[in-house]
């Protein structure tokens, strides 16, 4: 991130330790994560925490990425929603 090598995010976000075990536990997670990772506006995607939240990163069209995720879940029979979040560029501030 510091070097602005955003093209490396996709591989850096691939969790090979936990995702293979957690993804099959909820309907649609595998298909939707793949849809987020494969979307043209995606910089990468991952399972957030223990799930079932998925996070997709895009610097060009985050709403399009979010809609792709909800569509993938819908094809699996899962209702979902998405939120576009802004990056906090300041961090924790203690007064």
């Amino acid at each position: 991130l510091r070097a602005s090598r955003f093209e490396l995010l996709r591989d850096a976000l691939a969790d090979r330790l936990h995702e293979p075990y957690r993804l099959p536990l909820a309907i649609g997670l595998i298909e939707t994560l793949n849809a987020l990772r494969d979307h043209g506006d995606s910089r990468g995607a991952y399972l957030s925490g223990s799930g079932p939240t998925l996070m997709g990163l895009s610097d060009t069209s985050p709403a399009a990425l979010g809609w792709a995720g909800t569509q993938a879940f819908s094809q699996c029979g899962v209702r979902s929603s998405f939120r576009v979040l802004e990056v906090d560029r300041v961090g924790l501030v203690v007064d």
Side-chain angles (χ1 to χ4, degrees):
L1 293 174
R2 180 173 286 187
S4 298
R5 302 277 316 271
F6 302 120
E7 72 277 6
L8 300 175
L9 278 175
R10 184 176 318 276
D11 289 335
L13 294 174
D15 180 344
R16 293 172 185 89
L17 295 176
H18 301 100
E19 283 182 0
Y21 301 101
R22 292 182 178 155
L23 289 175
L25 299 177
I27 297 169
L29 284 181
I30 293 171
E31 296 84 356
T32 304
L33 185 59
N34 288 333
L36 292 173
R37 286 178 173 158
D38 295 341
H39 193 274
D41 293 313
S42 177
R43 290 288 194 167
Y46 59 93
L47 178 66
S48 181
S50 61
T53 299
L54 296 176
M55 179 75 77
L57 303 177
S58 173
D59 56 354
T60 57
S61 187
L65 188 59
W67 282 115
T70 59
Q71 183 178 21
F73 268 129
S74 179
Q75 291 173 354
C76 295
V78 177
R79 286 185 20 222
S80 65
S81 62
F82 73 91
R83 294 192 175 119
V84 174
L85 305 174
E86 297 294 323
V87 173
D88 179 355
R89 298 184 185 275
V90 176
L92 179 66
V93 176
V94 179
D95 292 323

